[in-house]
Amino acid sequence: MTSLLSLDKRRYLVTGVLNNESIAWHVAAALQREGCEVVLTSFGRVARITRKVADLLPSPAEVLDLDVMSDESVASLAEQIESRWGQLDGVLHSIAAAPPDALGPGFVSAPASGVLDGFRASAYSFQQLTTALAPLLARAPGGGAAVGLTVDSTRALPGYGWMGVYKSALEAVARYLALHLGPSGIRVNLVAAGPVETVSARGVRTFAELADQYERWAPLGWDRADPARVVGAVLFLLSDLSRHTTGQVVHADGGMHAVFGGVGVSPAAGTGVPPAATAPAGGTTASRGETATG
């Protein structure tokens, strides 16, 4: 069992670090504390911030460019990882984006162009990134792992608008990736995070109300200020402890998904358009017209 728990000397790619509040940043820090080598990705205007917080990790990490709206950028990233390591033990996908007018009540009026860009950044990018890295993941001893971050998409979440739809699509993408990549020994899973207070999550106008309900009703309790409650599930899925688990959504939400909740959250809550796009599960965001980043 000790060997299953060990992550020492493994190599991981972590996307979606915006700052040191991001769930992805805390995952990267936890991996390093377990003895892993970690590389981050970012792109565009937020890359400068990502590089600064990369220096705050237990060991400073390199930040590679990744623009998931560009096929060439994804292919280039895979080539850089191939040249650097030759194989990859796992990747964390924590990328999502939506134009501001696609959130909340904008679900019924958002134009197709922005909605489709959001789908590419938030759901298709998981397939795109994982398949580009698949030859490297397949070389990992025991098989590599791809893990994505989502929310509880079994219910419509007030204020999430099209982002909720993207997360539902992400779950379907993960299942089909699990089907197609399983024969290569690659497992694909998601972690459905409870509400964690990050820069991107605060862009959801209903975030405070939803977090209040989790903190009130989650059987194991919840703390919106504690990303470590999500990190453990991610590490499990990146480790050999999950080597026979694929196509799953692991809920790291204090058990809230299993109980009746939502008391006091009005379906009409958050009727105003949020000031910025958001990636509710802690991923990097991009406003409409900007490039989604990783």
Side-chain angles (χ1 to χ4, degrees), residues 11 33 50 70 112 122 158 167 176 183 186-187 294:
R11 294 161 171 174
R33 286 192 291 268
T50 304
S70 164
S122 307
K167 294 301 186 181
Y176 279 91
I186 301 168
R187 57 194 187 277

Side-chain angles (χ1 to χ4, degrees), residues 209-231:
E209 289 181 275
L210 291 167
D212 286 345
Q213 297 307 311
Y214 275 71
E215 291 177 347
R216 180 179 181 186
W217 294 107
L220 293 176
W222 190 251
D223 180 357
R224 73 190 78 185
D226 182 13
R229 294 172 183 251
V230 179
V231 171

Side-chain angles (χ1 to χ4, degrees), residues 28-130:
L31 287 170
Q32 287 188 342
R33 286 192 291 268
E34 293 297 321
C36 301
E37 293 184 63
V38 175
V39 167
L40 309 181
T41 71
S42 192
F43 187 76
R45 293 185 302 175
V46 303
R48 178 178 58 85
I49 301 173
T50 304
R51 288 188 169 90
K52 285 185 176 181
V53 299
D55 289 337
L56 300 178
L57 290 166
S59 298
E62 186 172 357
V63 180
L64 302 179
D65 282 347
L66 172 61
D67 174 10
V68 295
M69 305 300 280
S70 164
D71 294 341
E72 293 77 13
S73 179
V74 175
S76 175
L77 175 69
E79 291 171 1
Q80 291 178 73
I81 299 297
E82 166 84 50
S83 176
R84 173 188 296 263
W85 286 332
Q87 67 178 49
L88 188 64
D89 291 287
V91 56
L92 174 66
H93 177 279
S94 181
I95 302 171
D101 57 2
L103 301 178
F107 176 80
V108 299
S109 58
S113 58
V115 169
L116 294 176
D117 283 347
F119 172 81
R120 177 170 182 173
S122 307
Y124 173 73
S125 66
F126 190 38
Q127 181 272 352
Q128 183 184 31
L129 180 63
T130 304

Side-chain angles (χ1 to χ4, degrees), residues 4 118 240:
L4 295 179
D240 282 351

Side-chain angles (χ1 to χ4, degrees), residues 224-273:
R224 73 190 78 185
D226 182 13
R229 294 172 183 251
V230 179
V231 171
V234 176
L235 294 188
F236 160 69
L237 292 174
L238 289 174
S239 77
D240 282 351
L241 286 171
S242 67
R243 64 185 178 181
H244 300 297
T245 301
T246 196
Q248 293 295 311
V249 178
V250 176
H251 292 265
D253 62 358
M256 187 65 181
H257 70 284
V259 301
F260 177 78
V263 178
V265 178
S266 166
T271 53
V273 176

Side-chain angles (χ1 to χ4, degrees), residues 138-161:
R139 295 174 197 160
V147 178
L149 292 180
T150 185
V151 296
D152 182 6
S153 62
T154 60
R155 299 171 291 176
L157 297 175
Y160 276 54

